[in-house]
C-alpha cells in the first residue's frame, strides 16, 4: 500500500459537497480516508460516499491535523475563517468559494488551462467560478492559437448554481403556477419559474453584478494576460442543471469556423457538437452529470474582421465546481505538490 492520503470535504451536505464526494468516488481518487465536514447543524448526519455513508463532523479550527487535502465548498465566510487554519496545519486547501480567488498568494486554476500555476501554491488554491471555468476550457486553445482580444459573453445559468435552495425554489414555484397559486419568492428577488432574471449575485458600483465581474477578473488571472478584455451579462434561467453561454470572441489573427471546430475537437476536456444541418448543438438538459465542456454553434462573426461566435454548455455543479476541484487535487498528486512550504503565509 502506498503512502496514506486523507482527504476532507468541507460543506459535504451541500449541493457541491455531495457532488464532490460522488466525483472522488467515481474517479477512484486514491484517498485512504475521506472525512466529511459541515456546520454544527448537520454534525452526526450521514452523506453518501459510493456504497457507504460518511458521518458528518462539525468543522472546527483544529480538525485539519493529519488531513492532506481539504476541498472546501461551504461559502466564502467559512473559507475565510477556516482555510488559513488548514494551511497552518499543513493541509492543502482547494477552495470553491470566491474568497481567495483574486488573492495574489493563491493560484486560481483550471487544470486544462493553467495547471503550472499550482507550482507556487502556499496551501490555498482557488477554484474559479463555474461560468468562468467552462468558458476558459473552450477559449484557451483559441487564445493559444490566434490570441483573444475581447470576449462578450451572456450566460444562461441553472438554479443549481444557487445550491439546494435554488432547486427547491424552481420546483415549488412551478407547482404553484400549475396550481394557480401565487409563486412565493424566497431565494430570488423575482419569480424564476417561466421567467429569466438578468441578475446573479449582488450589484456593484459599476452596475455590473459580482458574478459578471468574477468572469472578467478571473479570466485575466487564469490566462495571466491583462490584455484580454471580457464583458459579461449573467442571467438566471429556469433550468435545474447546466449552465449555457453565448460567447462572442474577437481574435488578434483570423480563425475560421472550420479551423475552430477542428482545434476544439482535439482540446482537453472539450466535446464539439456542431452540425446545424442535423440540428446538433449542446443543451443543458442533455449533458447533466457529464465531465466534458460542450461547444456548438461555432460560426464566424460577420460583423467584424476576426470574430467567432459559439455556444458553451457544461454541468455547472460537476465541471463548474466539484470536478474541477478534484482535478486540481489529482494534479497536485501527479506533481508531488501535496505539501505546504510555509505554513504561516495565511496566518496574520
Ligand atoms: P449549499 O447547498 O447551500 O451547501 C452549503 C454547505 O456549506 C453545507 O454543507 C453547509 O453545511 C455548509 N456550511 C455552511 N456554513 C458552514 C459553516 N459555518 N461551517 C461548516 N460548513 C458550513 O451550497 P452549495 O451550492 O453546495 O455551495 C456551497 C459553496 O460552494 C458556495 O457558497 C460557493 O462558495 C461555492 N460554489 C462555487 C461554485 C463555483 O462556481 N465554483 C458554484 C456553486 C457554489 P450545513 O448542512 O451544516 O448547513
Ligand atoms: O450562481 C451560480 O450559478 C454560481 C454560484 C456561485 C457562488 C454561489 C455562492 C457564493 C459563488 C461563487 O463560486 O462565486 C459564491 C462565492 O462567492 O463564493
Amino acid at each position: 500500500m502506498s503512502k496514506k492520503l486523507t482527504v476532507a470535504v468541507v460543506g459535504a451536505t451541500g449541493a457541491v459537497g455531495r457532488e464532490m464526494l460522488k466525483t472522488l468516488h467515481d474517479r477512484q481518487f486514491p484517498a485512504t480516508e475521506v472525512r466529511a465536514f459541515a456546520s454544527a447543524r448537520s454534525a452526526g448526519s450521514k452523506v453518501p460516499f459510493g456504497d457507504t455513508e460518511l458521518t458528518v463532523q462539525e468543522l472546527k479550527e483544529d480538525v485539519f491535523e493529519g488531513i492532506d487535502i481539504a476541498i472546501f465548498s461551504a461559502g466564502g465566510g467559512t473559507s475565510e475563517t477556516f482555510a488559513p487554519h488548514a494551511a497552518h496545519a499543513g493541509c492543502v486547501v482547494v477552495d470553491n468559494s470566491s474568497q481567495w480567488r483574486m488573492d495574489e498568494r493563491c493560484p486560481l486554476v483550471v487544470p486544462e488551462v493553467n495547471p503550472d500555476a499550482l507550482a507556487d501554491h502556499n496551501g490555498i488554491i482557488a477554484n474559479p467560478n463555474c461560468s468562468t471555468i467552462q468558458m476558459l476550457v473552450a477559449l484557451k486553445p483559441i487564445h493559444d492559437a490566434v490570441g483573444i482580444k475581447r470576449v462578450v459573453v451572456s450566460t444562461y445559468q441553472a438554479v443549481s448554481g444557487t445550491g439546494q435552495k435554488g432547486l427547491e425554489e424552481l420546483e415549488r414555484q412551478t407547482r404553484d403556477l400549475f396550481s394557480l397559486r401565487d409563486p412565493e419568492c424566497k431565494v430570488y428577488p423575482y419569480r424564476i419559474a417561466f421567467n429569466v432574471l438578468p441578475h446573479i449575485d449582488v450589484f456593484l458600483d459599476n452596475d455590473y453584478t459580482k458574478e459578471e465581474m468574477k468572469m472578467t477578473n478571473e479570466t485575466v488571472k487564469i490566462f495571466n494576460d491583462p490584455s484580454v478584455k471580457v464583458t459579461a451579462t449573467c442571467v438566471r434561467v429556469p433550468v435545474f442543471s447546466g449552465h449555457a453561454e453565448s460567447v462572442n470572441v474577437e481574435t488578434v489573427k483570423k480563425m475560421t469556423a472550420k479551423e475552430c471546430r477542428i482545434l476544439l475537437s482535439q482540446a482537453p476536456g472539450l466535446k464539439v457538437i456542431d452540425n446545424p444541418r442535423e440540428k446538433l448543438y449542446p443543451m443543458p438538459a442533455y449533458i447533466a452529470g457529464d465531465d466534458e465542456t460542450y461547444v456548438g454553434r461555432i460560426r464566424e462573426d460577420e460583423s467584424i474582421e476576426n470574430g467567432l461566435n459559439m455556444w458553451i454548455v457544461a454541468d455547472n455543479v460537476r465541471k463548474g465546481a466539484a470536478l474541477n476541484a478534484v482535478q486540481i487535487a489529482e494534479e497536485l498528486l501527479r506533481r508531488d505538490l501535496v505539501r505546504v512550504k510555509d505554513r504561516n503565509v495565511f496566518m496574520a
Side-chain angles (χ1 to χ4, degrees):
M1 179 92 175
S2 57
K3 208 172 138 255
K4 198 169 159 298
L5 183 72
T6 302
V7 174
V9 173
V10 175
T13 54
V16 176
R18 286 172 186 272
E19 189 67 27
M20 202 81 80
L21 289 167
K22 184 171 181 303
T23 308
L24 287 167
H25 186 265
D26 289 351
R27 293 173 72 87
Q28 300 183 316
F29 189 84
T32 41
E33 186 187 349
V34 177
R35 297 184 196 164
F37 292 95
S39 77
R41 289 181 292 276
S42 44
S45 66
K46 306 271 187 194
V47 284
F49 181 61
D51 298 334
T52 61
E53 288 185 321
L54 303 176
T55 303
V56 176
Q57 302 171 49
E58 181 184 350
L59 183 67
K60 294 187 183 149
E61 286 177 3
D62 61 0
V63 300
F64 297 102
E65 213 57 58
I67 295 176
D68 301 290
I69 301 175
I71 310 182
F72 276 58
S73 63
T78 305
S79 296
E80 182 183 19
T81 307
F82 291 94
H85 290 284
H88 189 59
C91 166
V92 182
V93 172
V94 181
D95 183 41
N96 256 290
S97 81
S98 58
Q99 175 61 35
W100 301 100
R101 287 182 193 149
M102 299 313 295
D103 190 306
E104 283 179 3
R105 298 166 294 180
C106 302
L108 180 65
V109 175
V110 180
E112 293 89 341
V113 177
N114 64 335
D116 292 344
L118 288 171
D120 299 322
H121 83 77
N122 293 295
I124 303 179
I125 295 147
N127 198 68
N129 177 267
C130 42
S131 299
T132 311
I133 292 174
Q134 68 182 67
M135 182 171 81
L136 296 196
V137 171
L139 295 192
K140 167 71 173 167
I142 301 171
H143 191 42
D144 286 348
V146 289
I148 292 177
K149 269 198 211 171
R150 178 170 186 251
V151 178
V152 182
V153 52
S154 297
T155 68
Y156 301 66
Q157 296 183 223
V159 295
S160 55
T162 319
Q164 196 53 42
K165 57 186 188 304
L167 294 162
E168 285 162 9
E169 178 119 322
L170 176 56
E171 187 186 335
R172 196 186 55 253
Q173 290 183 352
T174 305
R175 286 182 197 285
D176 284 345
L177 285 161
F178 276 117
S179 311
L180 302 178
R181 286 190 298 267
D182 276 343
E184 199 187 349
C185 301
K186 291 186 183 170
V187 176
Y188 302 113
Y190 299 96
R191 130 185 169 201
I192 183 64
F194 306 99
N195 196 14
V196 292
L197 306 183
H199 173 187
I200 297 180
D201 209 330
V202 294
F203 280 99
L204 303 172
D205 288 345
N206 63 359
D207 293 343
Y208 281 80
T209 64
K210 201 171 164 194
E211 184 82 353
E212 290 160 353
M213 292 314 296
K214 285 172 189 171
M215 294 190 79
T216 298
N217 297 328
E218 292 175 17
T219 297
V220 167
K221 178 162 176 178
I222 295 165
F223 276 175
N224 191 22
D225 188 347
S227 75
V228 179
K229 307 296 177 201
V230 176
T231 184
T233 302
C234 290
V235 179
R236 185 77 63 199
V237 295
V239 164
F240 284 107
S241 171
H243 286 2
E245 298 175 345
S246 165
V247 180
N248 174 263
V249 186
E250 184 174 359
T251 55
V252 179
K253 289 189 237 152
K254 174 92 185 155
M255 177 179 276
T256 65
K258 190 174 171 202
E259 286 165 344
C260 184
R261 268 184 219 112
I262 293 168
L263 180 73
L264 297 191
S265 60
Q266 294 164 351
L270 280 177
K271 255 192 195 162
V272 175
I273 303 182
D274 193 16
N275 187 342
R277 270 148 292 281
E278 300 292 331
K279 302 191 198 76
L280 290 177
Y281 35 76
M283 288 169 282
Y286 298 98
I287 57 92
D290 287 4
D291 285 352
E292 289 80 11
T293 295
Y294 291 85
V295 189
R297 301 296 324 278
I298 299 169
R299 62 215 188 274
E300 281 149 52
D301 174 354
E302 296 178 346
S303 71
I304 52 173
E305 205 168 325
N306 299 331
L308 292 162
N309 284 311
M310 65 195 69
W311 175 249
I312 304 172
V313 183
D315 183 324
N316 55 302
V317 178
R318 186 92 177 172
K319 179 55 184 168
L323 172 63
N324 198 74
V326 172
Q327 286 175 307
I328 290 173
E330 289 170 350
E331 205 57 49
L332 288 170
L333 280 177
R334 205 170 293 128
R335 292 170 184 240
D336 195 18
L337 289 169
V338 186
R339 67 196 134 73
V340 180
K341 279 175 275 182
D342 176 353
R343 296 181 177 210
N344 290 312
V345 169
F346 295 97
M347 297 312 271

